[in-house]
Amino acid sequence: MSPSSVLQSPVLQSFIAGEWLGKQAGQALASPVNGEVIYHTHAEAIDFGCSLEFARTKGRASLMVMDFQSRASCLRDLGKYLLEHKESLYATSLLTGATRNDSWVDIEGGAGTLFAYASVGRRELPSGNLIHEDDAFPLGRDGQFFGSHILVPRQGVAVHINAFNFPIWGMLEKFAANFLAGMPCIVKPATSTSYLTEACVRLMQESGLLPEGSLQLIIGRTGDLLDRLDGQDVVTFTGSASTAAKLKITPNIINNSIPFNAEADSLNCAILAPDVSADSPEFDLFIKEVAREMTVKAGQKCTAIRRVMIPENQVQAVSERLTARLAKVSIGDPHLDTVRMGALASFEQKVDVLAQLEALLKSSQLVYGHEDGFELLGKGSEKGAFIQPTLLLSNDPDAEGGAHDIEAFGPISTLMPYKNIDHAIALAARGKGSLVTTLVTQDPEIARKVVPALAAWHGRVHILNEASSKESTGHGSPLPMLKHGGPGRAGGGEELGGIRGVKHYMQRAAIQGSPTMLSAVTGEYVRGGETYESDVHPFRRYFEDLRIGESLLTHRRTVTETDIVNFGCLSGDHFYMHFDDIAARDSQFEQRIAHGYFVLSAAAGLFVSPGEGPVLANYGLDTLRFITPVPIGDTIRARLTCKRKIDQGKLSPKGEPQGVVVWDVQVTNQHEELVASYDILTLVKKQFV
């Protein structure tokens, strides 16, 4: 390493209180590919009091000016911007030791998470900044005292402390959820690869899309940050189980009951079921899955397969096939297209992995790897932080310790033979909780038995067979719509999971009151609340003009036998309850009744305004229930009430601005008994964009 390279390497900067901080060189960061110094952290101290104040004032205010829908649109636009500039991120990612294939998960997977949460916001969240969970329910006899639950954004800051292995995805998968919820965040990436996180944050800031104060970046240590937090803040951590345990007991976090969500490295496993023979497609899939999880990101994934559960009679076959596959993996400088596995993220990481490997070898035997002088590709790579893929075989899978307790966070896995499927389940549980496990089987009965048992100890269960393999995203890939996290050693936390991830950054409160008061609070009509009627049919009003609670009570219609016969002939539904008088008399209803879907259709005929108007389409029904049967001779009517409005900022195929209106529909009979209840979802034209 030459003195000139040290002087010329750039100084990374923190983004604090709207300003980039850092000119003086601090800690040197060496390339794991060839050992050359590539960056320095900055030496300047960060004023964390100022940072938190900026987030709580400027950041929160700028996010609260927006609503769920506009923040969702911002996430979408940020994702597009990052993809437009992704090549600069790929170039920087190579410096971390990652291949382009490794970096795809980090860079495009990160942008994909922004898109996924943009979609969650547009589809599942209302306009405004309050979520009404489920429907309100009566707490009294007379229908004027109701209860429900709401979610509001927490009034603090989300502090994200991230691991070194996914510098971009690790930030964005948390940022997407807290941003959509309306909470500003401060991100602290692991120092060794923080230059890639910094590059991403610079792009996001340069896009002009980030609201002021919504995102800050720490390069280096967190100082007294955790001691300055309060009960409205949230801390998330991704990294080692030991570090998570230390941070979780920070006195200030305990004293102020600050939510602490940990996603820790874990001893994930893959199980080859006993029904899979060595000549089956599933056997090949198993070998490919294990080899991929050992080598992608050089095994530096919190979801990587560390323990490989195989039937005792398959040890030789699995060992030979895995060894042959691993031997084909080219290792070296990821700048070379021929390289399939790059370096560990730092030299410190290499030292740690080799130490853990030596500990594992005390209870295991070497099957493949751990050789001196293995072939490396690329000039100077002999000075890099490279480790050969290494496969071990446990001497006694039932013994304490070993691969059930020791994680080498690199390209190392241990074969663990089992006697029967119950033994495999027991061995899987010995990992004391993990993020994910894969079960490879051809037999649905094995899946039926094994998966519920695995689910108690694993955050995600991936069932792999030939049919699913064509579309499977693999063992190691957390998906935005599925929960990521696991029990026990895995940290006990949860991330992602679609809307679930957003709710981690919101406060749930129970509310009680009259239907009218609950409607005012939630922005959603609650039955029994005040309604508004006028001479103008609600379907004649544009989106902007509709009021929550605007209602129409229709005229009446008496159901006849002719109605039932005609509907049955038109639909082809000649169910005995509608047409067999004798069978109907013997039923619980004691008479023939109208089709439920006839009642639905008749109600639509009662409340629909048939002429051309602002209502563009009906695209679905929710919460449909048929409550009281409608026999021949009953008279029905419907009440249509504007329940909820969602302005998604969308245009129709013709370019017309439109919004979503949800209508509450109650169909009653001549005794004012509720016959049918449901919500109709419509697209309604807006007058203005």
Side-chain angles (χ1 to χ4, degrees), residues 246-293:
K246 292 175 183 176
L247 293 177
K248 191 180 294 187
I249 60 172
T250 300
N252 186 51
I253 289 176
I254 295 173
N255 294 339
N256 285 290
S257 300
I258 298 169
F260 185 96
N261 189 81
E263 185 263 287
D265 306 330
S266 59
L267 296 164
N268 312 291
C269 68
I271 301 173
L272 181 67
D275 65 298
V276 178
S277 62
D279 59 354
S280 69
E282 280 75 12
F283 191 91
D284 289 336
L285 290 170
F286 182 81
I287 298 299
K288 291 177 183 177
E289 198 73 17
V290 173
R292 178 170 60 189
E293 289 302 312

Side-chain angles (χ1 to χ4, degrees), residues 280-356:
S280 69
E282 280 75 12
F283 191 91
D284 289 336
L285 290 170
F286 182 81
I287 298 299
K288 291 177 183 177
E289 198 73 17
V290 173
R292 178 170 60 189
E293 289 302 312
M294 289 179 67
T295 55
V296 169
K297 293 287 286 189
Q300 300 170 110
K301 293 167 59 180
C302 57
T303 54
I305 296 171
R306 308 299 180 194
R307 300 176 298 148
V308 186
M309 313 297 184
I310 56 176
E312 288 180 338
N313 63 355
Q314 296 275 35
V315 171
Q316 183 176 351
V318 171
S319 298
E320 291 176 353
R321 296 275 279 277
L322 258 179
T323 295
R325 194 170 187 90
L326 293 173
K328 296 177 181 178
V329 176
S330 53
I331 309 167
D333 187 341
H335 291 83
L336 301 176
D337 293 338
T338 54
V339 166
R340 292 295 173 265
M341 192 181 93
L344 298 181
S346 68
F347 291 91
E348 293 80 7
Q349 180 65 10
K350 180 178 178 179
V351 170
D352 181 70
V353 171
L354 288 176
Q356 299 303 325

Side-chain angles (χ1 to χ4, degrees), residues 26 42 49 66 76 108 220 246 260 283 291 304 379 382 396 403 418 530 545 553 563 575 596-597 621:
H42 64 79
M66 308 168 75
R76 177 198 61 203
E108 300 195 42
K246 292 175 183 176
F260 185 96
F283 191 91
K379 183 179 179 181
E382 69 280 359
D396 182 3
Y418 67 80
E530 186 177 358
D545 299 332
L553 182 63
D563 291 330
F575 187 59
Y597 288 102
L621 298 176

Side-chain angles (χ1 to χ4, degrees), residues 370-376 388:
H370 197 34
E371 303 169 3
D372 290 329
F374 61 91
E375 183 182 6
L376 286 171
Q388 188 180 23

